[in-house]
Amino acid sequence: EQRRAAVTRFMLNIARHLNLSNHTIDLKEIIAAEKSVLAKENQLITIRVGLTVSEDITTIDSHRGTLEQVFFNLFNSAIGAMSDGGHLEIRATRKNEDYISVTFTDNGRGMPESDLKHIFEPFYYSKSGHSGTGLGLAVTYALVQEIGGKIRVQSRPGRETCFDIRIPLVRPEASK
């Protein structure tokens, strides 16, 4: 727990030195752009991706680069879970006047409860034969917090994993 907190603080300190100015963002466009990047790298050949954005979400005010990285990391996580192909469903819905929810649900191998407890820890690998750094979901967790959001994960082993990101319609720092 202390290691996770230290690495998270380190990553947030780096992020604070970046230009984190808000932009008006078309959520559908930004998710489609990250999908396109992975498609060009031939990572999505055997994976179908569905995208649904509620009509009551036109734009949000947030940090574009942060959201791009969050969505890219969640795409990569889903790809890793569906190495033999599958389906990833992305849905954005408005939860209330302040927040939207973006879910990434894949029909990959899922994770046991023992992995879910550690999934956002730096250098934690939930799959054997890992090929990443073990930082993707830890960074994602820190970035979501940086924009005033929350992230949760639910999984059923052998069936699916769902990451649910709550994103404020207006990043809290922007209103200060």
Side-chain angles (χ1 to χ4, degrees):
E1 187 65 32
Q2 289 178 335
R3 183 177 175 198
R4 175 181 167 186
V7 172
T8 300
R9 279 193 303 277
F10 172 74
M11 290 184 290
L12 289 174
N13 284 334
I14 290 172
R16 283 188 186 96
H17 297 291
L18 301 174
N19 177 8
L20 292 177
S21 60
N22 278 6
H23 300 279
T24 300
I25 297 169
D26 178 333
L27 200 61
K28 195 170 193 174
E29 180 268 323
I30 198 170
I31 294 170
E34 293 311 304
K35 175 185 170 186
S36 177
V37 167
L38 290 167
K40 287 179 184 171
E41 295 177 6
N42 296 321
Q43 303 256 358
L44 295 177
I45 290 174
T46 60
I47 297 172
R48 294 182 332 260
V49 179
L51 174 59
T52 306
V53 177
S54 295
E55 290 185 23
D56 60 349
I57 302 173
T58 52
T59 60
I60 62 172
D61 289 324
S62 195
H63 182 252
R64 182 181 182 93
T66 298
L67 287 175
E68 287 172 340
Q69 188 65 54
V70 165
F71 297 150
F72 183 83
N73 289 352
L74 292 175
F75 266 117
N76 271 332
S77 180
I79 289 168
M82 299 184 295
S83 56
D84 296 330
H87 183 77
L88 171 62
E89 187 63 36
I90 304 166
R91 293 185 187 279
T93 56
R94 191 165 183 155
K95 288 300 173 188
N96 58 38
E97 65 276 356
D98 298 321
Y99 284 87
I100 62 168
S101 170
V102 181
T103 59
F104 280 66
T105 305
D106 69 65
N107 67 346
R109 65 180 158 272
M111 294 177 272
E113 188 68 32
S114 59
D115 283 348
L116 291 178
K117 294 176 185 176
H118 304 285
I119 197 68
F120 296 116
E121 293 177 8
F123 312 111
Y124 182 77
Y125 300 99
S126 64
K127 52 188 175 254
S128 61
H130 56 66
S131 61
T133 62
L135 289 173
L137 291 175
V139 168
T140 299
Y141 181 87
L143 291 174
V144 169
Q145 286 189 324
E146 185 69 21
I147 59 171
K150 295 181 180 179
I151 184 168
R152 297 180 327 191
V153 61
Q154 295 179 326
S155 189
R156 295 186 294 168
R159 307 219 30 213
E160 70 178 16
T161 299
C162 178
F163 286 91
D164 180 15
I165 309 111
R166 300 291 167 105
I167 304 169
L169 288 168
V170 177
R171 195 171 119 224
E173 292 83 4
S175 60
K176 292 179 183 177

